Amino acid sequence: MKVKVISVLEDNYMYLVIEESTRHAVAVDAAVPKRLLEIIRKEDVVLRAILTTHHHWDHARGNEELAQLFPGLQVFGADERIGALTHRVTHGQELTFGAIRVRCLFTPCHTSGHMCYFMWEDDSPDAPALFSGDTLFVGGCGQFFEGTAEQMLNNLTQILGTLPKDTKVFCGHECTVRNLKFALKVEPENEAVKEKLAWARQRDDEDLPTVPSTLQEEFLYNPFLRLTEEPVQRFTGRTEPVEVLRTLRSQRDNFKKPKERPNPQAMLAFDWGLFGPLLEKK
């Protein structure tokens, strides 16, 4: 199982997961069809399915076009708002694509229909992979657009946090440097944060991705997975994990917001499709 990391849009990632024996492939969050098609041709693979983590345009925008280009293409997701959806999946459901096994992990909060995908191959020495969309990032977690701190706590501690520690984490956005700058504010003495931030800055300077991390690493420097650690609780002034998480997310939302990011009204306009005609003209 080979994972191709594909950078698109401003800071998004989409992925092409290739079963090397058959040269069949599954795409995750196919937002930019043209770029995905370039990789498919270059790798000489057959696209069998799309797995969509959530309905936001920067993760699902390419579904309709790809479904037209590949008749019979299967599109999986957990939200009826996902374009070209053919299979609505549920928590714990398992899918098989040749030797590739997929377990669907329902993580509502960023959106009410967010699904993560845990992938592995039986009898393979390679570590499993988690495609976490906008639920878990390198050094951070997603914003609570359609959910609650209670939901995100369950996502991070009971669902994603219990996966094998060697699991490789492939998230939906490249926001590692910003996340780790915040993590350093939370835990200024955390050496793992300092080392990972220095590494991430170097990768950023070289225009290289910071994915994947591993779940084991995330527990060392991601404050959203370190809710019971004394420095994190001291920073938030809270001790109950859900309140620590709620405060962390609020602080992160207000931490050095990049000026170039769209305002909430613009993001809603994208979600409602109001910019669709403009995008089509490009």
Side-chain angles (χ1 to χ4, degrees):
M1 186 175 83
K2 180 168 77 170
V3 179
K4 294 289 294 184
V5 178
I6 309 169
S7 299
V8 293
L9 303 174
E10 182 186 348
D11 61 9
N12 276 76
Y13 285 122
M14 61 182 182
Y15 301 98
L16 190 66
V17 185
I18 300 169
E19 186 191 33
E20 296 190 84
S21 61
T22 64
R23 306 307 292 171
H24 287 181
V26 177
V28 180
D29 285 352
V32 182
K34 182 179 179 181
R35 183 73 180 117
L36 184 63
L37 291 170
E38 289 173 358
I39 303 297
I40 288 171
R41 284 193 291 267
K42 183 178 178 181
E43 293 289 331
D44 191 24
V45 297
V46 177
L47 182 65
R48 292 190 58 196
I50 297 172
L51 304 178
T52 303
T53 60
H54 61 294
H55 77 282
H56 285 164
W57 73 277
D58 57 331
H59 295 260
R61 189 178 71 179
N63 289 4
E64 288 93 342
E65 182 177 335
L66 289 164
Q68 290 178 350
L69 291 172
F70 299 97
L73 182 68
Q74 297 178 304
V75 179
F76 296 85
D79 194 323
E80 292 296 342
R81 294 173 290 182
I82 293 170
L85 186 70
T86 62
H87 294 74
R88 188 166 183 174
V89 292
T90 57
H91 180 67
Q93 183 174 344
E94 294 200 358
L95 312 172
T96 302
F97 302 99
I100 297 174
R101 305 278 301 279
V102 182
R103 182 177 300 132
C104 303
L105 302 174
F106 189 48
T107 55
C109 181
H110 181 72
T111 68
S112 60
H114 195 291
M115 187 70 76
C116 296
Y117 300 98
F118 179 69
M119 290 194 198
W120 75 97
E121 287 183 334
D122 289 333
D123 304 319
S124 171
D126 296 335
L130 171 68
F131 297 90
S132 58
D134 286 4
T135 293
L136 175 65
F137 294 122
V138 180
C141 78
Q143 291 180 279
F144 306 172
F145 285 144
E146 296 181 358
T148 66
E150 286 80 5
Q151 286 178 314
M152 186 59 81
L153 179 66
N154 186 66
N155 295 339
L156 297 178
T157 62
Q158 303 304 310
I159 299 176
L160 304 186
T162 59
L163 295 173
K165 294 298 184 286
D166 64 343
T167 298
K168 294 179 180 178
V169 179
F170 295 91
C171 57
H173 290 271
E174 178 57 61
C175 48
T176 302
V177 170
R178 292 198 302 274
N179 285 341
L180 292 173
K181 285 180 179 178
F182 175 70
L184 191 61
K185 180 181 179 182
V186 177
E187 293 188 271
E189 303 304 318
N190 186 323
E191 291 300 322
V193 174
K194 295 176 185 178
E195 291 174 12
K196 188 71 173 182
L197 177 56
W199 176 84
R201 280 175 163 152
Q202 181 67 34
R203 298 285 289 183
D204 197 46
D205 288 343
E206 297 173 5
D207 199 25
L208 294 170
T210 61
V211 294
S213 63
T214 69
L215 198 57
Q216 185 167 20
E217 290 176 3
E218 293 297 322
F219 278 103
L220 298 178
Y221 53 67
N222 188 331
F224 296 93
L225 291 175
R226 295 173 54 79
L227 305 175
T228 60
E229 298 294 327
E230 193 274 334
V232 180
Q233 294 186 347
R234 186 170 65 245
F235 173 82
T236 61
R238 304 287 190 272
T239 55
E240 283 295 320
V242 70
E243 295 303 327
V244 177
L245 177 58
R246 196 191 318 276
T247 304
L248 274 180
R249 185 64 258 177
S250 177
Q251 292 282 336
R252 176 66 181 89
D253 289 343
N254 294 300
F255 177 74
K256 293 183 180 179
K257 287 185 178 178
K259 294 179 181 179
E260 73 276 7
R261 298 294 286 180
N263 63 31
Q265 289 81 8
M267 293 303 293
L268 282 174
F270 272 120
D271 283 348
W272 293 340
L274 300 182
F275 291 161
L278 295 176
L279 293 170
E280 289 169 7
K281 290 177 183 177
K282 288 188 176 182

